[in-house]
């Protein structure tokens, strides 16, 4: 029985990446920032918990002891993504681990987005310590817009007509489980993009059809975003996201789905399929609660 350590296991990506290997009989040790977050990781299948502070590195040596592989992801737009990658990869190397997966992003070398460039730097740091590390570069997740689609309003601060090849986070997690548990992916970098090019306007049309209720696409002013959702962020996180919106406005975020298709051995989930799967699973969990 293999054990894998998932960093950031209580977050959006970490929950999906924790759930996927458990369905293959692999034990997941969930690294969480604080003990109260353990319940979230246990709920998606984690077998054990390690409390880890990625900023100081506290808890990392204990967390990697006795595991067979590590999945590292950084908190979204964190200023110290590179330092975090360095600390996690060093701890894995000290423990003699060779199987290590780093969760990067599609087009990390895109100089218009500082948080992408930090991922490019983090990839280099990881490979300096662990040349056999596998790097996954996912496109934006379909799941970023599922809640908004269910609420009937896709509101974004960039062009409604920019092209995106968004990817199902569950497909990304399935690939994560494969590269964590099977040989043949050492030292390889994989782009993970979805199977169709859609704008936010297109996504609203598809969502209305799938969900059976009106879904509008709305472009919000940047000033409204800064005063609203952006107001609670640090200035650095706000600037990173403003740079991302400007980049999305100019050209969206588009990649090729062929690698994901090959790794999954099937077509990746479309936006419509993801919406159906997510809304079915929400319906089932609300029925269970009732
Ligand atoms: N969203 C997308 O479409 C997308 C696409 C491609 C790549 N990515 C990348 O995926 C990564 C994960 O994104 P996400 O949205 O899943 O992030 P998230 O939900 O914010 O999860 C990050 C996790 O890291 C934990 N964390 C934060 N600071 C920590 C610290 N100092 N020590 C230990 N743990 C700490 C958080 O703990 P708490 O639970 O306690 O807050 C959280 O569980 C990011 O690097 C992002 O750039 C995202």
């Amino acid at each position: 029985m293999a054990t894998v350590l998932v960093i950031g296991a209580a977050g959006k990506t970490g929950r999906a990446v924790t759930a996927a290997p458990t369905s293959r009989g692999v034990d997941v040790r969930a690294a969480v920032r604080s003990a109260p977050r353990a319940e979230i990781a246990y709920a998606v299948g984690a077998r054990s918990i390690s409390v880890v502070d990625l900023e100081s590195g506290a808890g990392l040596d204990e967390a990697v002891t006795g595991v067979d592989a590590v999945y590292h992801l950084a908190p979204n737009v964190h200023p110290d993504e590179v330092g975090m990658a360095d600390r996690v990869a060093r701890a894995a190397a000290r423990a003699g681990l060779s199987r290590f997966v780093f969760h990067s992003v599609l087009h990390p070398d895109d100089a218009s987005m500082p948080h992408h460039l930090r991922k490019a730097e983090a990839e280099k740091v990881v490979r300096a310590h662990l040349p056999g590390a596998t790097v996954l570069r996912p496109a934006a997740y379909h799941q970023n817009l599922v809640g908004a689609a269910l609420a009937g309003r896709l509101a974004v601060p960039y062009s409604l007509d920019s092209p995106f090849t968004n990817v199902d986070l569950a497909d990304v997690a399935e690939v994560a489980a494969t590269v964590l548990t099977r040989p043949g992916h050492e030292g390889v970098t994989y782009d993970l993009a979805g199977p169709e090019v859609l704008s936010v306007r297109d996504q609203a049309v598809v969502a209305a059809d799938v969900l059976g209720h009106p879904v509008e696409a709305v472009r919000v002013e940047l000033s409204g975003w800064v005063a609203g959702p952006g107001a609670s962020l640090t200035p650095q996180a706000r600037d990173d996201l403003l740079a991302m919106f400007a980049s999305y406005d100019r050209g969206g975020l588009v990649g090729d789905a062929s690698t994901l298709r090959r790794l999954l051995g099937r077509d990746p989930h479309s936006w419509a399929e993801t919406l159906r799967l997510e809304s079915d699973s929400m319906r089932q969990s609300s029925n269970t609660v009732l």
Side-chain angles (χ1 to χ4, degrees):
M1 167 73 71
T3 302
V4 304
L5 176 73
V6 176
I7 302 287
K12 181 198 277 189
T13 308
R15 291 194 301 274
V17 172
T18 297
T22 58
S23 65
R24 299 180 184 209
V26 172
D27 279 355
V28 172
R29 180 182 296 170
V32 296
R33 175 162 42 173
S34 59
R37 304 293 280 168
E39 284 314 313
I40 297 171
Y42 281 131
V44 291
R47 283 301 187 89
S48 59
I49 297 293
S50 281
V51 175
V52 159
D53 181 359
L54 293 169
E55 289 181 39
S56 67
L60 271 175
D61 284 320
E62 295 81 352
V64 297
T65 300
V67 303
D68 302 287
V70 174
Y71 195 91
H72 173 57
L73 59 84
N76 206 12
V77 297
H78 197 286
D80 192 27
E81 286 194 44
V82 180
M84 289 175 166
D86 184 56
R87 287 184 277 279
V88 178
R90 272 179 197 274
R94 273 196 298 274
L97 296 175
S98 55
R99 191 160 290 181
F100 188 99
V101 183
F102 174 54
H103 189 93
S104 184
V105 72
L106 189 67
H107 307 326
D109 297 311
D110 185 334
S112 66
M113 293 184 275
H115 71 301
H116 279 226
L117 288 183
R118 289 199 295 273
K119 292 271 198 303
E121 194 54 35
E123 288 185 8
K124 286 187 198 135
V125 163
V126 165
R127 284 257 166 76
H129 297 303
L130 299 157
T134 307
V135 173
L136 302 185
R137 292 176 169 175
Y141 312 145
H142 284 319
Q143 276 73 5
N144 298 345
L145 289 177
V146 166
L150 290 167
R153 187 169 190 265
L154 305 187
V156 295
Y158 46 84
S159 169
L160 299 177
D161 298 305
S162 290
F164 292 90
T165 50
N166 290 357
V167 66
D168 182 7
L169 178 53
D171 284 347
V172 174
E174 199 174 319
V175 170
T178 299
V179 299
L180 279 167
T181 58
R182 307 242 168 91
H185 307 284
E186 297 79 9
V188 185
T189 297
Y190 294 125
D191 281 2
L192 302 178
E196 56 197 344
V197 181
L198 294 177
S199 65
V200 171
R201 203 186 297 283
D202 298 329
Q203 286 173 290
V205 171
V206 173
D209 185 46
V210 169
L211 300 173
H213 60 67
V215 178
E216 59 175 346
V218 180
R219 179 173 184 157
V220 295
E221 292 299 323
L222 279 179
S223 55
W225 180 85
V226 169
S232 58
L233 301 175
T234 64
Q236 165 266 323
R238 196 162 46 240
D239 286 349
D240 280 356
L241 291 176
L242 286 169
M244 183 183 83
F245 297 150
S247 178
Y248 284 2
D249 197 45
R250 284 191 300 274
L253 190 66
V254 173
D256 188 305
S258 55
T259 302
L260 179 56
R261 187 173 289 114
R262 178 168 58 78
L263 289 165
L264 291 170
R266 60 166 170 78
D267 276 335
H269 291 141
S270 64
W271 167 233
E273 285 164 335
T274 303
L275 273 176
R276 274 189 210 102
L277 290 165
E278 292 279 345
S279 50
D280 285 353
S281 117
M282 281 176 202
R283 210 168 298 121
Q284 273 165 16
S285 30
S286 70
N287 286 344
T288 312
V289 172
L290 297 172

